[in-house]
Amino acid sequence: MPQAPADSLRLRVGFLLARRFTLSAFANFVDVLRLAADEGDRSRPIRCSWRVLATSSQPVQSSCGIAVSPDEKLGDPSRFDYIVVVGGLIDEIERLEPEYTAFLHRAARAGVPLVGVCTGAFILHRAGLMNGYRCCVSWFHHEDFLEQFDGLRPVSDRIFVVDRDRLTCSGGASSAHLAAFLIDRHIGRAAAQKSLHIMIIDEAMAADDPQPGLPLELKTQDTLVRRALLMLQQNMDTPPGVADVAAHLQVSRRKLERHFAASLSMSPAEAFMRVRLSQVRMLLGRPDRTISQIAAETGFCDASHLIRVFRDVMGVTPEQWRKGQREGV
């Protein structure tokens, strides 16, 4: 990739790719930079540049098997405005080469902001570079994060988090939105919107927008309600109360209730129970799950509690419902 004159660049990004990194997260981030860097779709790095850094010239293999060749050696991190760490498979996090960790520490000492994409946030935490910072991870990896970093509560109900000189996102499409945030900051909103529109993304999502999460039968465009439902999904085995959810989202219980009433015509408690029962029905479709196991996974005291609530709402017991589904009733 030809380099633009240094004085024309407004944004310089260096990438570190973990072993078996997520290709889509990397590609989405890079394409936003590429499309914002030039007029039209000519891909010249005029307004911003991007380089893949490594300890050697050996290609780095992604989780899908496609390999990416580095552009240059690690060198001095201060030549970049951001260092972006793209993670991937959980099993590979502990295998980060010491040279990469040392490079990230040099970048932090030089005041270069660090970006964790996908499980890149895990890598930054394991390197000791996220202490005292808020961190975004995918809802899919929420429990993995809790297992690896005792006592830390990740943010997994938003698409990305900007906390001073640490920026983290959940991966996938959210990496495009985080890249657009950087383009907006350094080049301008028009360039950011242009990139997203060419990528068939309607509009930039803000950091506070909720992650998509698991499928829900309750559909709403209300951001606060969606974040509340996502929080419940991520804690299904120990479901939080309405007051706990409101406190986590930093709103009053009354405000949360108003939003649920306006968008779903029901109270938060009613919506939470519907989500839990929806999960129960999904698990009943798995013959290997007992009613006791399903009760534990969906936050009911025991099988008897689940049976009573399920029968009150559905008119049949869980086993009767399961039998009816098998028989096509």
Side-chain angles (χ1 to χ4, degrees):
M1 180 179 68
Q3 289 295 293
D7 57 0
S8 69
L9 292 172
R10 303 186 209 173
L11 176 61
R12 300 162 298 171
V13 179
F15 286 95
L16 296 184
L17 305 179
R19 290 189 183 96
R20 303 182 76 185
F21 67 96
T22 304
L23 185 62
S24 62
F26 171 61
N28 282 330
F29 205 112
V30 170
D31 251 6
V32 171
L33 301 181
R34 176 183 70 85
L35 292 166
D38 194 4
E39 297 297 328
D41 189 18
R42 302 177 66 185
S43 301
R44 295 175 301 174
I46 295 174
R47 293 184 289 189
C48 63
S49 66
W50 51 97
R51 310 293 283 171
V52 175
L53 313 175
T55 56
S56 72
S57 59
Q58 291 298 311
V60 185
Q61 191 173 61
S62 66
S63 59
C64 69
I66 294 175
V68 173
S69 297
D71 296 306
E72 55 191 69
K73 295 291 186 67
L74 297 177
D76 181 6
S78 64
R79 68 190 190 275
F80 297 103
D81 298 302
Y82 297 87
I83 300 296
V84 178
V85 182
V86 184
L89 297 187
I90 293 288
D91 295 342
E92 299 291 339
I93 291 171
E94 296 184 20
R95 299 178 58 196
L96 188 70
E97 295 176 24
E99 293 88 346
Y100 286 97
T101 301
F103 176 79
L104 290 170
H105 277 274
R106 290 201 305 274
R109 289 194 296 271
V112 180
L114 302 178
V115 181
V117 172
C118 192
T119 59
F122 286 59
I123 293 171
L124 293 176
H125 257 300
R126 190 164 291 282
L129 292 164
M130 291 297 293
N131 296 330
Y133 288 92
R134 293 167 64 247
C135 163
C136 178
V137 301
S138 166
W139 63 266
F140 187 75
H141 292 304
H142 181 87
E143 294 302 320
D144 296 315
F145 190 94
L146 294 180
E147 288 177 6
Q148 295 202 24
F149 304 105
D150 187 38
L152 293 172
R153 299 292 300 183
V155 176
S156 47
D157 61 351
R158 304 183 186 188
I159 62 165
F160 65 86
V161 168
V162 178
D163 189 352
R164 293 160 289 166
D165 55 354
R166 299 291 188 274
L167 302 87
T168 49
C169 76
S170 53
S174 73
S175 62
H177 292 287
L178 180 52
F181 172 83
L182 297 183
I183 293 296
D184 190 341
R185 173 186 277 182
H186 291 273
I187 299 176
R189 180 156 300 177
Q193 290 176 335
K194 168 205 165 187
S195 292
L196 294 177
H197 289 165
I198 293 176
M199 294 173 68
I200 321 298
I201 298 175
D202 286 341
E203 58 182 339
M205 294 179 71
D208 285 345
D209 285 343
Q211 293 180 23
L214 296 169
L216 280 175
E217 62 180 45
L218 300 176
K219 302 296 183 182
T220 175
Q221 296 301 313
D222 188 302
T223 297
L224 181 63
V225 173
R226 289 171 62 194
R227 288 180 60 203
L229 294 174
L230 186 59
M231 181 181 173
L232 174 67
Q233 287 179 312
Q234 293 162 351
N235 299 276
M236 192 75 74
D237 56 342
T238 54
V242 176
D244 294 327
V245 173
H248 176 79
L249 298 177
Q250 299 181 327
V251 298
S252 68
R253 177 170 182 155
R254 180 62 187 137
K255 179 175 181 178
L256 188 63
E257 290 171 342
R258 286 199 305 270
H259 277 253
F260 269 82
S263 63
L264 296 176
S265 300
M266 65 181 69
S267 69
E270 290 172 320
F272 291 175
M273 182 57 70
R274 285 187 60 173
V275 172
R276 291 168 63 196
L277 290 176
S278 176
Q279 182 74 357
V280 168
R281 292 194 298 272
M282 186 273 290
L283 293 174
L284 285 170
R286 301 179 181 179
D288 61 316
R289 291 291 206 283
T290 67
I291 301 302
S292 293
Q293 289 172 328
I294 294 173
E297 291 180 40
T298 51
F300 291 91
C301 298
D302 51 30
S304 297
H305 182 209
L306 170 56
I307 291 169
R308 185 172 64 254
V309 173
F310 194 92
R311 184 170 51 213
D312 289 345
V313 175
M314 304 297 299
V316 294
T317 68
E319 281 295 359
Q320 289 170 334
W321 191 90
R322 171 183 270 171
K323 182 180 178 181
Q325 293 300 300
R326 286 198 300 262
E327 296 173 352
V329 178

PDB file of all heavy atoms in Angstrom, residues 146-160:
ATOM      1  N   LEU A 146     -15.546 -13.214  32.814  1.00  0.00           N
ATOM      2  CA  LEU A 146     -15.667 -13.333  34.261  1.00  0.00           C
ATOM      3  C   LEU A 146     -14.816 -14.480  34.789  1.00  0.00           C
ATOM      4  O   LEU A 146     -14.233 -14.387  35.875  1.00  0.00           O
ATOM      5  CB  LEU A 146     -17.132 -13.552  34.655  1.00  0.00           C
ATOM      6  CG  LEU A 146     -18.092 -12.381  34.377  1.00  0.00           C
ATOM      7  CD1 LEU A 146     -19.498 -12.751  34.815  1.00  0.00           C
ATOM      8  CD2 LEU A 146     -17.633 -11.124  35.091  1.00  0.00           C
ATOM      9  N   GLU A 147     -14.722 -15.559  34.029  1.00  0.00           N
ATOM     10  CA  GLU A 147     -13.916 -16.698  34.456  1.00  0.00           C
ATOM     11  C   GLU A 147     -12.425 -16.362  34.455  1.00  0.00           C
ATOM     12  O   GLU A 147     -11.681 -16.809  35.328  1.00  0.00           O
ATOM     13  CB  GLU A 147     -14.168 -17.889  33.530  1.00  0.00           C
ATOM     14  CG  GLU A 147     -15.538 -18.541  33.712  1.00  0.00           C
ATOM     15  CD  GLU A 147     -15.754 -19.664  32.723  1.00  0.00           C
ATOM     16  OE1 GLU A 147     -14.799 -20.006  31.985  1.00  0.00           O
ATOM     17  OE2 GLU A 147     -16.876 -20.203  32.674  1.00  0.00           O
ATOM     18  N   GLN A 148     -11.987 -15.564  33.493  1.00  0.00           N
ATOM     19  CA  GLN A 148     -10.563 -15.277  33.366  1.00  0.00           C
ATOM     20  C   GLN A 148     -10.094 -14.124  34.244  1.00  0.00           C
ATOM     21  O   GLN A 148      -8.934 -14.090  34.661  1.00  0.00           O
ATOM     22  CB  GLN A 148     -10.210 -14.970  31.904  1.00  0.00           C
ATOM     23  CG  GLN A 148     -10.395 -16.154  30.985  1.00  0.00           C
ATOM     24  CD  GLN A 148      -9.561 -16.017  29.735  1.00  0.00           C
ATOM     25  OE1 GLN A 148      -8.547 -15.328  29.706  1.00  0.00           O
ATOM     26  NE2 GLN A 148      -9.976 -16.703  28.682  1.00  0.00           N
ATOM     27  N   PHE A 149     -10.984 -13.185  34.531  1.00  0.00           N
ATOM     28  CA  PHE A 149     -10.588 -11.983  35.275  1.00  0.00           C
ATOM     29  C   PHE A 149     -11.503 -11.817  36.476  1.00  0.00           C
ATOM     30  O   PHE A 149     -12.516 -11.126  36.414  1.00  0.00           O
ATOM     31  CB  PHE A 149     -10.629 -10.751  34.372  1.00  0.00           C
ATOM     32  CG  PHE A 149      -9.793 -10.895  33.132  1.00  0.00           C
ATOM     33  CD1 PHE A 149     -10.386 -11.109  31.903  1.00  0.00           C
ATOM     34  CD2 PHE A 149      -8.414 -10.859  33.195  1.00  0.00           C
ATOM     35  CE1 PHE A 149      -9.631 -11.265  30.758  1.00  0.00           C
ATOM     36  CE2 PHE A 149      -7.641 -11.018  32.057  1.00  0.00           C
ATOM     37  CZ  PHE A 149      -8.245 -11.219  30.834  1.00  0.00           C
ATOM     38  N   ASP A 150     -11.146 -12.471  37.556  1.00  0.00           N
ATOM     39  CA  ASP A 150     -11.966 -12.484  38.765  1.00  0.00           C
ATOM     40  C   ASP A 150     -12.149 -11.073  39.317  1.00  0.00           C
ATOM     41  O   ASP A 150     -11.195 -10.317  39.454  1.00  0.00           O
ATOM     42  CB  ASP A 150     -11.299 -13.370  39.818  1.00  0.00           C
ATOM     43  CG  ASP A 150     -12.175 -13.573  41.035  1.00  0.00           C
ATOM     44  OD1 ASP A 150     -13.393 -13.696  40.863  1.00  0.00           O
ATOM     45  OD2 ASP A 150     -11.637 -13.580  42.158  1.00  0.00           O
ATOM     46  N   GLY A 151     -13.394 -10.722  39.621  1.00  0.00           N
ATOM     47  CA  GLY A 151     -13.685  -9.442  40.245  1.00  0.00           C
ATOM     48  C   GLY A 151     -13.936  -8.305  39.279  1.00  0.00           C
ATOM     49  O   GLY A 151     -14.328  -7.216  39.699  1.00  0.00           O
ATOM     50  N   LEU A 152     -13.706  -8.527  37.978  1.00  0.00           N
ATOM     51  CA  LEU A 152     -13.924  -7.471  36.988  1.00  0.00           C
ATOM     52  C   LEU A 152     -15.276  -7.677  36.311  1.00  0.00           C
ATOM     53  O   LEU A 152     -15.632  -8.791  35.936  1.00  0.00           O
ATOM     54  CB  LEU A 152     -12.817  -7.491  35.933  1.00  0.00           C
ATOM     55  CG  LEU A 152     -11.417  -7.104  36.426  1.00  0.00           C
ATOM     56  CD1 LEU A 152     -10.395  -7.345  35.337  1.00  0.00           C
ATOM     57  CD2 LEU A 152     -11.382  -5.657  36.856  1.00  0.00           C
ATOM     58  N   ARG A 153     -16.032  -6.598  36.159  1.00  0.00           N
ATOM     59  CA  ARG A 153     -17.341  -6.667  35.509  1.00  0.00           C
ATOM     60  C   ARG A 153     -17.258  -5.956  34.164  1.00  0.00           C
ATOM     61  O   ARG A 153     -17.184  -4.735  34.103  1.00  0.00           O
ATOM     62  CB  ARG A 153     -18.413  -5.996  36.382  1.00  0.00           C
ATOM     63  CG  ARG A 153     -18.601  -6.623  37.745  1.00  0.00           C
ATOM     64  CD  ARG A 153     -19.187  -8.016  37.664  1.00  0.00           C
ATOM     65  NE  ARG A 153     -20.491  -8.042  37.015  1.00  0.00           N
ATOM     66  CZ  ARG A 153     -21.212  -9.156  36.892  1.00  0.00           C
ATOM     67  NH1 ARG A 153     -20.753 -10.301  37.343  1.00  0.00           N
ATOM     68  NH2 ARG A 153     -22.395  -9.105  36.310  1.00  0.00           N
ATOM     69  N   PRO A 154     -17.251  -6.707  33.078  1.00  0.00           N
ATOM     70  CA  PRO A 154     -17.163  -6.072  31.766  1.00  0.00           C
ATOM     71  C   PRO A 154     -18.487  -5.427  31.374  1.00  0.00           C
ATOM     72  O   PRO A 154     -19.547  -5.774  31.888  1.00  0.00           O
ATOM     73  CB  PRO A 154     -16.838  -7.242  30.836  1.00  0.00           C
ATOM     74  CG  PRO A 154     -17.499  -8.411  31.502  1.00  0.00           C
ATOM     75  CD  PRO A 154     -17.343  -8.168  32.984  1.00  0.00           C
ATOM     76  N   VAL A 155     -18.407  -4.490  30.446  1.00  0.00           N
ATOM     77  CA  VAL A 155     -19.602  -3.882  29.867  1.00  0.00           C
ATOM     78  C   VAL A 155     -19.978  -4.719  28.651  1.00  0.00           C
ATOM     79  O   VAL A 155     -19.226  -4.778  27.682  1.00  0.00           O
ATOM     80  CB  VAL A 155     -19.334  -2.424  29.447  1.00  0.00           C
ATOM     81  CG1 VAL A 155     -20.547  -1.833  28.748  1.00  0.00           C
ATOM     82  CG2 VAL A 155     -18.941  -1.584  30.655  1.00  0.00           C
ATOM     83  N   SER A 156     -21.113  -5.384  28.706  1.00  0.00           N
ATOM     84  CA  SER A 156     -21.511  -6.224  27.574  1.00  0.00           C
ATOM     85  C   SER A 156     -22.933  -5.931  27.118  1.00  0.00           C
ATOM     86  O   SER A 156     -23.592  -6.772  26.512  1.00  0.00           O
ATOM     87  CB  SER A 156     -21.354  -7.708  27.921  1.00  0.00           C
ATOM     88  OG  SER A 156     -21.904  -8.012  29.173  1.00  0.00           O
ATOM     89  N   ASP A 157     -23.399  -4.710  27.436  1.00  0.00           N
ATOM     90  CA  ASP A 157     -24.713  -4.298  26.934  1.00  0.00           C
ATOM     91  C   ASP A 157     -24.588  -3.086  26.010  1.00  0.00           C
ATOM     92  O   ASP A 157     -25.570  -2.446  25.687  1.00  0.00           O
ATOM     93  CB  ASP A 157     -25.672  -3.997  28.087  1.00  0.00           C
ATOM     94  CG  ASP A 157     -25.190  -2.863  28.985  1.00  0.00           C
ATOM     95  OD1 ASP A 157     -24.033  -2.412  28.822  1.00  0.00           O
ATOM     96  OD2 ASP A 157     -25.957  -2.433  29.864  1.00  0.00           O
ATOM     97  N   ARG A 158     -23.343  -2.770  25.581  1.00  0.00           N
ATOM     98  CA  ARG A 158     -23.109  -1.658  24.644  1.00  0.00           C
ATOM     99  C   ARG A 158     -22.170  -2.132  23.551  1.00  0.00           C
ATOM    100  O   ARG A 158     -21.406  -3.078  23.740  1.00  0.00           O
ATOM    101  CB  ARG A 158     -22.492  -0.461  25.378  1.00  0.00           C
ATOM    102  CG  ARG A 158     -23.331   0.014  26.555  1.00  0.00           C
ATOM    103  CD  ARG A 158     -22.732   1.228  27.216  1.00  0.00           C
ATOM    104  NE  ARG A 158     -23.476   1.579  28.425  1.00  0.00           N
ATOM    105  CZ  ARG A 158     -23.276   2.683  29.127  1.00  0.00           C
ATOM    106  NH1 ARG A 158     -22.375   3.546  28.740  1.00  0.00           N
ATOM    107  NH2 ARG A 158     -23.986   2.922  30.202  1.00  0.00           N
ATOM    108  N   ILE A 159     -22.197  -1.449  22.414  1.00  0.00           N
ATOM    109  CA  ILE A 159     -21.376  -1.943  21.306  1.00  0.00           C
ATOM    110  C   ILE A 159     -19.910  -1.549  21.434  1.00  0.00           C
ATOM    111  O   ILE A 159     -19.039  -2.251  20.946  1.00  0.00           O
ATOM    112  CB  ILE A 159     -21.943  -1.512  19.941  1.00  0.00           C
ATOM    113  CG1 ILE A 159     -21.945  -0.002  19.798  1.00  0.00           C
ATOM    114  CG2 ILE A 159     -23.299  -2.110  19.701  1.00  0.00           C
ATOM    115  CD1 ILE A 159     -22.155   0.436  18.367  1.00  0.00           C
ATOM    116  N   PHE A 160     -19.617  -0.403  22.052  1.00  0.00           N
ATOM    117  CA  PHE A 160     -18.219  -0.095  22.349  1.00  0.00           C
ATOM    118  C   PHE A 160     -18.147   0.868  23.529  1.00  0.00           C
ATOM    119  O   PHE A 160     -19.139   1.502  23.900  1.00  0.00           O
ATOM    120  CB  PHE A 160     -17.465   0.439  21.127  1.00  0.00           C
ATOM    121  CG  PHE A 160     -17.928   1.764  20.577  1.00  0.00           C
ATOM    122  CD1 PHE A 160     -17.450   2.969  21.090  1.00  0.00           C
ATOM    123  CD2 PHE A 160     -18.806   1.815  19.498  1.00  0.00           C
ATOM    124  CE1 PHE A 160     -17.851   4.187  20.563  1.00  0.00           C
ATOM    125  CE2 PHE A 160     -19.211   3.033  18.955  1.00  0.00           C
ATOM    126  CZ  PHE A 160     -18.735   4.225  19.499  1.00  0.00           C
TER     127      PHE A 160
END
